[in-house]
């Protein structure tokens, strides 16, 4: 295809062939690229003195908006959780006499500190999503804890609840605490959901509080395992026992002998693995147990 240019200023017509058109196109493309480069350079140099960094999200505009929408939904959920947590905080504070104002979510926590000598970096979207997820998990954990405290305080006020505070065994040596530890079988870091009491095989194990036996059975990891329901979503668990002395559905009293210490299941030696759970979530037994006292025991007549 040829293009013929005719003008009064030209002495003759000019014919542009395919080769000429390609050259014109390349020239226009280079000119446009130069303008974009110049605009980017100008934007960078104008914003740099003010410490302004332009945010970017990966993907197409549609994908970017979807990521923003997902973060907005998560933020809305966290705001609702904070409202619930504020309510629980106020109820617990009313029952304990603690001033709840410093713990309310609408009160900003004071912050400060010197400027760090370490290099700073702009927060990436993946890092922001990880931080939001971590904050959400912490809020959910705090709600569980406050809900537990609220339940215990309320039931104690009504004299209708007995916390599992009785020591489960006279074997006082605790070999493994609640929390993160190195797994004795795999060597990996895992979360230990209870505390361990070391003792001789056959050492008596007592109910930490009165309640109903939920489980009295064999478990592939816990070995001979016993669970007692103390009401209000709180259970105590006794694992690796050599013998179970009560049956499922049986009512037990605080301090009643319910099992004998052993090393069954996934165990490296004789000990009692003791857990306290609230609505299925493991809690630190040290929040409940009266470690300074000796186990309270009761005599139960044989059938």
């Amino acid at each position: 295809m040829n293009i013929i240019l005719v003008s009064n200023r030209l002495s003759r017509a000019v014919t542009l062939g395919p080769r000429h058109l390609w050259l014109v196109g390349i020239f226009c493309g280079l000119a446009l690229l130069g303008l974009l480069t110049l605009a980017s350079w100008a934007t960078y140099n104008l914003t740099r003195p003010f410490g302004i960094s332009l945010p970017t999200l990966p993907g197409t505009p549609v994908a970017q908006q979807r990521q923003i929408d997902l973060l907005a939904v998560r933020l809305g959920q966290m705001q609702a959780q904070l409202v619930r947590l504020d309510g629980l905080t106020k109820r617990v504070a009313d029952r304990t006499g603690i001033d709840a104002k410093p713990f309310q979510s609408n009160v900003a926590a004071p912050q400060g500190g010197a400027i760090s000598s370490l290099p700073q970096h702009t927060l990436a979207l993946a890092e922001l999503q990880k931080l939001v997820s971590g904050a959400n998990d912490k809020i959910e954990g705090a709600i569980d804890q406050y809900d537990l405290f609220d339940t215990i305080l309320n039931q104690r006020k009504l004299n209708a609840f007995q916390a599992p505070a009785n020591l489960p065994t006279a074997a006082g040596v605790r070999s493994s605490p609640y929390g993160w530890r190195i797994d004795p079988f795999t060597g990996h870091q895992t979360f230990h959901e209870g505390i361990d009491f070391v003792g001789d095989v056959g050492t008596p194990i007592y109910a930490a509080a009165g309640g109903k036996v939920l489980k009295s059975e064999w478990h592939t990891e816990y070995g001979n395992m016993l669970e007692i329901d103390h009401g209000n979503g709180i259970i105590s668990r006794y694992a690796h026992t050599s013998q179970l002395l009560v049956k499922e559905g049986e009512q037990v009293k605080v301090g009643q002998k319910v099992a004998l210490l052993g090393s069954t299941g996934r165990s490296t030696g004789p000990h009692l693995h003791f857990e306290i759970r609230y609505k299925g979530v493991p809690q630190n037994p040290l929040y409940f147990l009266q470690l300074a006292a000796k186990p309270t025991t009761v005599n139960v007549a044989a059938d």
Side-chain angles (χ1 to χ4, degrees):
M1 180 182 70
N2 296 328
I3 297 177
I4 301 175
L5 300 177
V6 180
S7 174
N8 293 331
R9 298 182 180 180
L10 300 175
S11 59
R12 60 187 178 86
V14 178
T15 302
L16 300 178
R19 182 182 177 184
H20 298 91
L21 295 177
W22 274 106
L23 291 174
V24 172
I26 292 173
F27 175 78
C28 292
L30 291 174
L32 179 61
L33 180 60
L35 289 174
L36 292 175
T37 302
L38 180 61
S40 298
W41 177 85
T43 301
Y44 173 76
N45 282 276
L46 288 174
T47 58
R48 184 177 59 175
F50 301 99
I52 300 174
S53 59
L54 300 179
T56 58
L57 291 175
T60 64
V62 175
Q64 295 173 10
Q65 187 59 50
R66 176 165 178 78
Q67 294 175 66
I68 293 174
D69 291 343
L70 290 175
L71 283 174
V73 170
R74 179 62 66 87
L75 179 61
Q77 293 173 343
M78 293 172 65
Q79 289 173 335
Q81 289 173 323
L82 285 173
V83 171
R84 181 185 174 193
L85 184 58
D86 284 344
L88 287 170
T89 302
K90 189 176 185 306
R91 287 206 298 271
V92 171
D94 289 342
R95 293 190 175 100
T96 58
I98 299 174
D99 183 10
K101 291 181 181 179
F103 304 99
Q104 298 294 301
S105 63
N106 59 352
V107 178
Q111 297 181 354
I115 299 176
S116 175
S117 60
L118 298 176
Q120 301 181 14
H121 70 280
T122 303
L123 196 64
L125 177 64
E127 294 176 299
L128 177 60
Q129 291 173 327
K130 185 177 180 180
L131 289 173
V132 170
S133 180
N136 183 69
D137 292 341
K138 289 183 179 180
I139 292 175
E140 289 182 350
I143 289 176
D144 288 339
Q145 291 288 341
Y146 271 85
D147 200 10
L148 172 62
F149 298 153
D150 183 49
T151 298
I152 293 176
L153 290 170
N154 186 52
Q155 295 300 321
R156 280 181 174 175
K157 184 177 181 181
L158 299 174
N159 295 321
F161 175 74
Q162 182 181 31
N166 190 60
L167 274 174
T169 178
V173 178
R174 301 191 299 279
S175 62
S176 188
Y178 174 89
W180 291 98
R181 68 170 185 177
I182 301 300
D183 188 281
F185 291 92
T186 65
H188 298 160
Q189 189 178 41
T190 56
F191 195 84
H192 190 228
E193 298 181 344
I195 57 177
D196 294 341
F197 293 88
V198 177
D200 296 328
V201 174
T203 300
I205 296 171
Y206 309 104
K212 182 179 180 180
V213 178
L214 278 181
K215 295 180 181 179
S216 180
E217 62 188 19
W218 170 264
H219 189 281
T220 55
E221 296 180 353
Y222 286 115
N224 289 324
M225 182 191 73
L226 178 71
E227 285 187 356
I228 301 176
D229 182 4
H230 305 293
N232 300 290
I234 299 178
I235 69 167
S236 57
R237 176 180 291 175
Y238 314 77
H240 308 306
T241 68
S242 60
Q243 185 178 353
L244 300 171
L245 304 179
V246 291
K247 299 179 180 179
E248 182 178 335
E250 186 174 340
Q251 292 288 337
V252 297
K253 299 178 180 179
V254 58
Q256 179 177 336
K257 187 164 66 173
V258 293
L260 301 178
L261 190 145
S263 182
T264 56
R266 193 171 181 266
S267 170
T268 61
H271 73 285
L272 166 66
H273 173 81
F274 177 72
E275 294 181 15
I276 294 178
R277 290 176 172 260
Y278 175 66
K279 294 184 178 180
V281 180
Q283 308 292 324
N284 190 343
L286 297 183
Y287 292 157
F288 297 84
L289 295 177
Q290 298 174 354
L291 297 179
K294 295 182 178 179
T296 300
T297 61
V298 297
N299 295 321
V300 180
D303 293 336

PDB file of all heavy atoms in Angstrom, residues 243-271:
ATOM      1  N   GLN A 243      -3.922 -47.374  83.751  1.00  0.00           N
ATOM      2  CA  GLN A 243      -5.236 -47.973  84.005  1.00  0.00           C
ATOM      3  C   GLN A 243      -6.271 -46.885  84.234  1.00  0.00           C
ATOM      4  O   GLN A 243      -5.999 -45.883  84.903  1.00  0.00           O
ATOM      5  CB  GLN A 243      -5.171 -48.898  85.233  1.00  0.00           C
ATOM      6  CG  GLN A 243      -6.458 -49.656  85.493  1.00  0.00           C
ATOM      7  CD  GLN A 243      -6.341 -50.594  86.693  1.00  0.00           C
ATOM      8  OE1 GLN A 243      -5.254 -50.768  87.247  1.00  0.00           O
ATOM      9  NE2 GLN A 243      -7.439 -51.203  87.094  1.00  0.00           N
ATOM     10  N   LEU A 244      -7.449 -47.067  83.650  1.00  0.00           N
ATOM     11  CA  LEU A 244      -8.571 -46.156  83.851  1.00  0.00           C
ATOM     12  C   LEU A 244      -9.518 -46.761  84.883  1.00  0.00           C
ATOM     13  O   LEU A 244      -9.890 -47.934  84.774  1.00  0.00           O
ATOM     14  CB  LEU A 244      -9.305 -45.928  82.518  1.00  0.00           C
ATOM     15  CG  LEU A 244      -8.455 -45.325  81.395  1.00  0.00           C
ATOM     16  CD1 LEU A 244      -9.214 -45.345  80.071  1.00  0.00           C
ATOM     17  CD2 LEU A 244      -8.047 -43.904  81.742  1.00  0.00           C
ATOM     18  N   LEU A 245      -9.915 -45.962  85.884  1.00  0.00           N
ATOM     19  CA  LEU A 245     -10.704 -46.477  87.008  1.00  0.00           C
ATOM     20  C   LEU A 245     -12.168 -46.053  86.966  1.00  0.00           C
ATOM     21  O   LEU A 245     -12.946 -46.478  87.822  1.00  0.00           O
ATOM     22  CB  LEU A 245     -10.076 -46.019  88.334  1.00  0.00           C
ATOM     23  CG  LEU A 245      -8.600 -46.390  88.536  1.00  0.00           C
ATOM     24  CD1 LEU A 245      -8.105 -45.854  89.879  1.00  0.00           C
ATOM     25  CD2 LEU A 245      -8.403 -47.901  88.443  1.00  0.00           C
ATOM     26  N   VAL A 246     -12.548 -45.214  86.011  1.00  0.00           N
ATOM     27  CA  VAL A 246     -13.942 -44.781  85.886  1.00  0.00           C
ATOM     28  C   VAL A 246     -14.391 -44.996  84.440  1.00  0.00           C
ATOM     29  O   VAL A 246     -13.576 -45.099  83.527  1.00  0.00           O
ATOM     30  CB  VAL A 246     -14.105 -43.293  86.282  1.00  0.00           C
ATOM     31  CG1 VAL A 246     -13.892 -43.102  87.774  1.00  0.00           C
ATOM     32  CG2 VAL A 246     -13.155 -42.411  85.495  1.00  0.00           C
ATOM     33  N   LYS A 247     -15.720 -45.039  84.256  1.00  0.00           N
ATOM     34  CA  LYS A 247     -16.286 -45.328  82.945  1.00  0.00           C
ATOM     35  C   LYS A 247     -17.010 -44.101  82.384  1.00  0.00           C
ATOM     36  O   LYS A 247     -17.389 -43.190  83.127  1.00  0.00           O
ATOM     37  CB  LYS A 247     -17.257 -46.505  83.035  1.00  0.00           C
ATOM     38  CG  LYS A 247     -16.604 -47.800  83.501  1.00  0.00           C
ATOM     39  CD  LYS A 247     -17.627 -48.911  83.597  1.00  0.00           C
ATOM     40  CE  LYS A 247     -16.977 -50.214  84.076  1.00  0.00           C
ATOM     41  NZ  LYS A 247     -17.979 -51.321  84.190  1.00  0.00           N
ATOM     42  N   GLU A 248     -17.219 -44.115  81.090  1.00  0.00           N
ATOM     43  CA  GLU A 248     -17.930 -43.029  80.412  1.00  0.00           C
ATOM     44  C   GLU A 248     -19.338 -42.870  80.984  1.00  0.00           C
ATOM     45  O   GLU A 248     -20.052 -43.856  81.192  1.00  0.00           O
ATOM     46  CB  GLU A 248     -17.995 -43.314  78.912  1.00  0.00           C
ATOM     47  CG  GLU A 248     -18.671 -42.210  78.104  1.00  0.00           C
ATOM     48  CD  GLU A 248     -18.672 -42.502  76.620  1.00  0.00           C
ATOM     49  OE1 GLU A 248     -17.787 -43.255  76.161  1.00  0.00           O
ATOM     50  OE2 GLU A 248     -19.563 -41.978  75.916  1.00  0.00           O
ATOM     51  N   GLY A 249     -19.725 -41.611  81.246  1.00  0.00           N
ATOM     52  CA  GLY A 249     -21.037 -41.318  81.801  1.00  0.00           C
ATOM     53  C   GLY A 249     -21.075 -41.277  83.313  1.00  0.00           C
ATOM     54  O   GLY A 249     -22.059 -40.823  83.910  1.00  0.00           O
ATOM     55  N   GLU A 250     -20.013 -41.692  83.967  1.00  0.00           N
ATOM     56  CA  GLU A 250     -19.965 -41.726  85.432  1.00  0.00           C
ATOM     57  C   GLU A 250     -19.720 -40.323  85.995  1.00  0.00           C
ATOM     58  O   GLU A 250     -18.965 -39.533  85.443  1.00  0.00           O
ATOM     59  CB  GLU A 250     -18.844 -42.677  85.874  1.00  0.00           C
ATOM     60  CG  GLU A 250     -18.784 -42.925  87.368  1.00  0.00           C
ATOM     61  CD  GLU A 250     -17.743 -43.977  87.731  1.00  0.00           C
ATOM     62  OE1 GLU A 250     -17.363 -44.769  86.827  1.00  0.00           O
ATOM     63  OE2 GLU A 250     -17.302 -43.993  88.895  1.00  0.00           O
ATOM     64  N   GLN A 251     -20.384 -40.009  87.115  1.00  0.00           N
ATOM     65  CA  GLN A 251     -20.165 -38.751  87.820  1.00  0.00           C
ATOM     66  C   GLN A 251     -19.024 -38.936  88.817  1.00  0.00           C
ATOM     67  O   GLN A 251     -18.990 -39.916  89.555  1.00  0.00           O
ATOM     68  CB  GLN A 251     -21.435 -38.320  88.551  1.00  0.00           C
ATOM     69  CG  GLN A 251     -22.582 -37.903  87.656  1.00  0.00           C
ATOM     70  CD  GLN A 251     -22.339 -36.554  86.986  1.00  0.00           C
ATOM     71  OE1 GLN A 251     -21.561 -35.743  87.472  1.00  0.00           O
ATOM     72  NE2 GLN A 251     -23.029 -36.313  85.881  1.00  0.00           N
ATOM     73  N   VAL A 252     -18.070 -37.994  88.797  1.00  0.00           N
ATOM     74  CA  VAL A 252     -16.932 -38.085  89.712  1.00  0.00           C
ATOM     75  C   VAL A 252     -16.871 -36.822  90.560  1.00  0.00           C
ATOM     76  O   VAL A 252     -17.384 -35.769  90.181  1.00  0.00           O
ATOM     77  CB  VAL A 252     -15.603 -38.278  88.945  1.00  0.00           C
ATOM     78  CG1 VAL A 252     -15.615 -39.580  88.177  1.00  0.00           C
ATOM     79  CG2 VAL A 252     -15.348 -37.101  88.012  1.00  0.00           C
ATOM     80  N   LYS A 253     -16.206 -36.942  91.712  1.00  0.00           N
ATOM     81  CA  LYS A 253     -16.037 -35.816  92.622  1.00  0.00           C
ATOM     82  C   LYS A 253     -14.614 -35.281  92.515  1.00  0.00           C
ATOM     83  O   LYS A 253     -13.702 -35.979  92.067  1.00  0.00           O
ATOM     84  CB  LYS A 253     -16.313 -36.245  94.061  1.00  0.00           C
ATOM     85  CG  LYS A 253     -17.723 -36.761  94.294  1.00  0.00           C
ATOM     86  CD  LYS A 253     -17.896 -37.217  95.740  1.00  0.00           C
ATOM     87  CE  LYS A 253     -19.299 -37.746  95.985  1.00  0.00           C
ATOM     88  NZ  LYS A 253     -19.464 -38.207  97.398  1.00  0.00           N
ATOM     89  N   VAL A 254     -14.430 -34.040  92.935  1.00  0.00           N
ATOM     90  CA  VAL A 254     -13.097 -33.462  92.947  1.00  0.00           C
ATOM     91  C   VAL A 254     -12.203 -34.274  93.876  1.00  0.00           C
ATOM     92  O   VAL A 254     -12.598 -34.635  94.985  1.00  0.00           O
ATOM     93  CB  VAL A 254     -13.132 -31.982  93.385  1.00  0.00           C
ATOM     94  CG1 VAL A 254     -13.755 -31.820  94.761  1.00  0.00           C
ATOM     95  CG2 VAL A 254     -11.718 -31.386  93.356  1.00  0.00           C
ATOM     96  N   GLY A 255     -10.995 -34.617  93.420  1.00  0.00           N
ATOM     97  CA  GLY A 255     -10.072 -35.387  94.225  1.00  0.00           C
ATOM     98  C   GLY A 255     -10.301 -36.877  94.183  1.00  0.00           C
ATOM     99  O   GLY A 255      -9.550 -37.630  94.808  1.00  0.00           O
ATOM    100  N   GLN A 256     -11.302 -37.346  93.434  1.00  0.00           N
ATOM    101  CA  GLN A 256     -11.547 -38.784  93.335  1.00  0.00           C
ATOM    102  C   GLN A 256     -10.472 -39.427  92.468  1.00  0.00           C
ATOM    103  O   GLN A 256     -10.058 -38.884  91.445  1.00  0.00           O
ATOM    104  CB  GLN A 256     -12.923 -39.041  92.721  1.00  0.00           C
ATOM    105  CG  GLN A 256     -13.259 -40.521  92.561  1.00  0.00           C
ATOM    106  CD  GLN A 256     -14.661 -40.731  92.004  1.00  0.00           C
ATOM    107  OE1 GLN A 256     -15.521 -39.861  92.149  1.00  0.00           O
ATOM    108  NE2 GLN A 256     -14.901 -41.869  91.371  1.00  0.00           N
ATOM    109  N   LYS A 257      -9.996 -40.624  92.882  1.00  0.00           N
ATOM    110  CA  LYS A 257      -9.000 -41.346  92.092  1.00  0.00           C
ATOM    111  C   LYS A 257      -9.663 -41.906  90.841  1.00  0.00           C
ATOM    112  O   LYS A 257     -10.598 -42.699  90.930  1.00  0.00           O
ATOM    113  CB  LYS A 257      -8.361 -42.465  92.914  1.00  0.00           C
ATOM    114  CG  LYS A 257      -7.199 -43.154  92.205  1.00  0.00           C
ATOM    115  CD  LYS A 257      -6.359 -43.974  93.170  1.00  0.00           C
ATOM    116  CE  LYS A 257      -7.125 -45.147  93.735  1.00  0.00           C
ATOM    117  NZ  LYS A 257      -6.247 -46.042  94.542  1.00  0.00           N
ATOM    118  N   VAL A 258      -9.184 -41.467  89.680  1.00  0.00           N
ATOM    119  CA  VAL A 258      -9.852 -41.817  88.418  1.00  0.00           C
ATOM    120  C   VAL A 258      -8.973 -42.649  87.496  1.00  0.00           C
ATOM    121  O   VAL A 258      -9.463 -43.254  86.534  1.00  0.00           O
ATOM    122  CB  VAL A 258     -10.303 -40.550  87.674  1.00  0.00           C
ATOM    123  CG1 VAL A 258     -11.410 -39.836  88.453  1.00  0.00           C
ATOM    124  CG2 VAL A 258      -9.122 -39.605  87.421  1.00  0.00           C
ATOM    125  N   ALA A 259      -7.642 -42.700  87.741  1.00  0.00           N
ATOM    126  CA  ALA A 259      -6.739 -43.461  86.873  1.00  0.00           C
ATOM    127  C   ALA A 259      -5.415 -43.663  87.589  1.00  0.00           C
ATOM    128  O   ALA A 259      -5.182 -43.129  88.684  1.00  0.00           O
ATOM    129  CB  ALA A 259      -6.528 -42.727  85.556  1.00  0.00           C
ATOM    130  N   LEU A 260      -4.524 -44.443  86.941  1.00  0.00           N
ATOM    131  CA  LEU A 260      -3.191 -44.679  87.461  1.00  0.00           C
ATOM    132  C   LEU A 260      -2.169 -44.236  86.420  1.00  0.00           C
ATOM    133  O   LEU A 260      -2.347 -44.466  85.218  1.00  0.00           O
ATOM    134  CB  LEU A 260      -2.990 -46.165  87.798  1.00  0.00           C
ATOM    135  CG  LEU A 260      -3.954 -46.756  88.822  1.00  0.00           C
ATOM    136  CD1 LEU A 260      -3.662 -48.239  89.023  1.00  0.00           C
ATOM    137  CD2 LEU A 260      -3.871 -46.015  90.155  1.00  0.00           C
ATOM    138  N   LEU A 261      -1.101 -43.608  86.875  1.00  0.00           N
ATOM    139  CA  LEU A 261      -0.081 -43.078  85.976  1.00  0.00           C
ATOM    140  C   LEU A 261       0.603 -44.198  85.207  1.00  0.00           C
ATOM    141  O   LEU A 261       0.806 -45.299  85.722  1.00  0.00           O
ATOM    142  CB  LEU A 261       0.932 -42.265  86.785  1.00  0.00           C
ATOM    143  CG  LEU A 261       1.946 -41.424  86.014  1.00  0.00           C
ATOM    144  CD1 LEU A 261       2.235 -40.137  86.779  1.00  0.00           C
ATOM    145  CD2 LEU A 261       3.247 -42.186  85.805  1.00  0.00           C
ATOM    146  N   GLY A 262       0.968 -43.916  83.942  1.00  0.00           N
ATOM    147  CA  GLY A 262       1.607 -44.939  83.116  1.00  0.00           C
ATOM    148  C   GLY A 262       2.393 -44.339  81.964  1.00  0.00           C
ATOM    149  O   GLY A 262       2.798 -43.167  81.998  1.00  0.00           O
ATOM    150  N   SER A 263       2.576 -45.147  80.925  1.00  0.00           N
ATOM    151  CA  SER A 263       3.343 -44.721  79.749  1.00  0.00           C
ATOM    152  C   SER A 263       2.767 -45.362  78.498  1.00  0.00           C
ATOM    153  O   SER A 263       3.482 -45.980  77.700  1.00  0.00           O
ATOM    154  CB  SER A 263       4.825 -45.083  79.898  1.00  0.00           C
ATOM    155  OG  SER A 263       5.576 -44.635  78.791  1.00  0.00           O
ATOM    156  N   THR A 264       1.464 -45.222  78.311  1.00  0.00           N
ATOM    157  CA  THR A 264       0.810 -45.815  77.152  1.00  0.00           C
ATOM    158  C   THR A 264       0.688 -44.789  76.027  1.00  0.00           C
ATOM    159  O   THR A 264       0.723 -43.587  76.258  1.00  0.00           O
ATOM    160  CB  THR A 264      -0.593 -46.323  77.529  1.00  0.00           C
ATOM    161  OG1 THR A 264      -1.358 -45.244  78.080  1.00  0.00           O
ATOM    162  CG2 THR A 264      -0.509 -47.439  78.560  1.00  0.00           C
ATOM    163  N   GLY A 265       0.529 -45.284  74.809  1.00  0.00           N
ATOM    164  CA  GLY A 265       0.380 -44.396  73.665  1.00  0.00           C
ATOM    165  C   GLY A 265       1.717 -43.807  73.237  1.00  0.00           C
ATOM    166  O   GLY A 265       2.775 -44.438  73.345  1.00  0.00           O
ATOM    167  N   ARG A 266       1.690 -42.600  72.758  1.00  0.00           N
ATOM    168  CA  ARG A 266       2.889 -41.913  72.237  1.00  0.00           C
ATOM    169  C   ARG A 266       3.631 -41.292  73.412  1.00  0.00           C
ATOM    170  O   ARG A 266       3.498 -40.099  73.698  1.00  0.00           O
ATOM    171  CB  ARG A 266       2.456 -40.860  71.216  1.00  0.00           C
ATOM    172  CG  ARG A 266       3.560 -40.285  70.358  1.00  0.00           C
ATOM    173  CD  ARG A 266       2.955 -39.427  69.254  1.00  0.00           C
ATOM    174  NE  ARG A 266       3.968 -38.856  68.362  1.00  0.00           N
ATOM    175  CZ  ARG A 266       4.517 -37.661  68.502  1.00  0.00           C
ATOM    176  NH1 ARG A 266       4.147 -36.888  69.521  1.00  0.00           N
ATOM    177  NH2 ARG A 266       5.410 -37.227  67.639  1.00  0.00           N
ATOM    178  N   SER A 267       4.426 -42.085  74.072  1.00  0.00           N
ATOM    179  CA  SER A 267       5.077 -41.657  75.311  1.00  0.00           C
ATOM    180  C   SER A 267       6.487 -42.218  75.369  1.00  0.00           C
ATOM    181  O   SER A 267       6.746 -43.337  74.887  1.00  0.00           O
ATOM    182  CB  SER A 267       4.262 -42.133  76.519  1.00  0.00           C
ATOM    183  OG  SER A 267       4.969 -41.939  77.726  1.00  0.00           O
ATOM    184  N   THR A 268       7.412 -41.465  75.960  1.00  0.00           N
ATOM    185  CA  THR A 268       8.797 -41.922  76.095  1.00  0.00           C
ATOM    186  C   THR A 268       9.090 -42.484  77.480  1.00  0.00           C
ATOM    187  O   THR A 268      10.191 -42.992  77.714  1.00  0.00           O
ATOM    188  CB  THR A 268       9.770 -40.754  75.824  1.00  0.00           C
ATOM    189  OG1 THR A 268       9.541 -39.718  76.779  1.00  0.00           O
ATOM    190  CG2 THR A 268       9.592 -40.212  74.411  1.00  0.00           C
ATOM    191  N   GLY A 269       8.135 -42.382  78.413  1.00  0.00           N
ATOM    192  CA  GLY A 269       8.337 -42.886  79.762  1.00  0.00           C
ATOM    193  C   GLY A 269       7.154 -42.561  80.638  1.00  0.00           C
ATOM    194  O   GLY A 269       6.242 -41.824  80.233  1.00  0.00           O
ATOM    195  N   PRO A 270       7.108 -43.115  81.862  1.00  0.00           N
ATOM    196  CA  PRO A 270       5.959 -42.915  82.749  1.00  0.00           C
ATOM    197  C   PRO A 270       5.736 -41.444  83.088  1.00  0.00           C
ATOM    198  O   PRO A 270       6.628 -40.771  83.608  1.00  0.00           O
ATOM    199  CB  PRO A 270       6.336 -43.708  84.005  1.00  0.00           C
ATOM    200  CG  PRO A 270       7.380 -44.675  83.554  1.00  0.00           C
ATOM    201  CD  PRO A 270       8.137 -43.979  82.464  1.00  0.00           C
ATOM    202  N   HIS A 271       4.570 -40.940  82.779  1.00  0.00           N
ATOM    203  CA  HIS A 271       4.195 -39.573  83.136  1.00  0.00           C
ATOM    204  C   HIS A 271       2.702 -39.385  82.886  1.00  0.00           C
ATOM    205  O   HIS A 271       2.070 -40.175  82.189  1.00  0.00           O
ATOM    206  CB  HIS A 271       4.992 -38.540  82.323  1.00  0.00           C
ATOM    207  CG  HIS A 271       4.588 -38.441  80.883  1.00  0.00           C
ATOM    208  ND1 HIS A 271       4.926 -39.391  79.935  1.00  0.00           N
ATOM    209  CD2 HIS A 271       3.861 -37.499  80.223  1.00  0.00           C
ATOM    210  CE1 HIS A 271       4.437 -39.045  78.756  1.00  0.00           C
ATOM    211  NE2 HIS A 271       3.784 -37.895  78.904  1.00  0.00           N
TER     212      HIS A 271
END
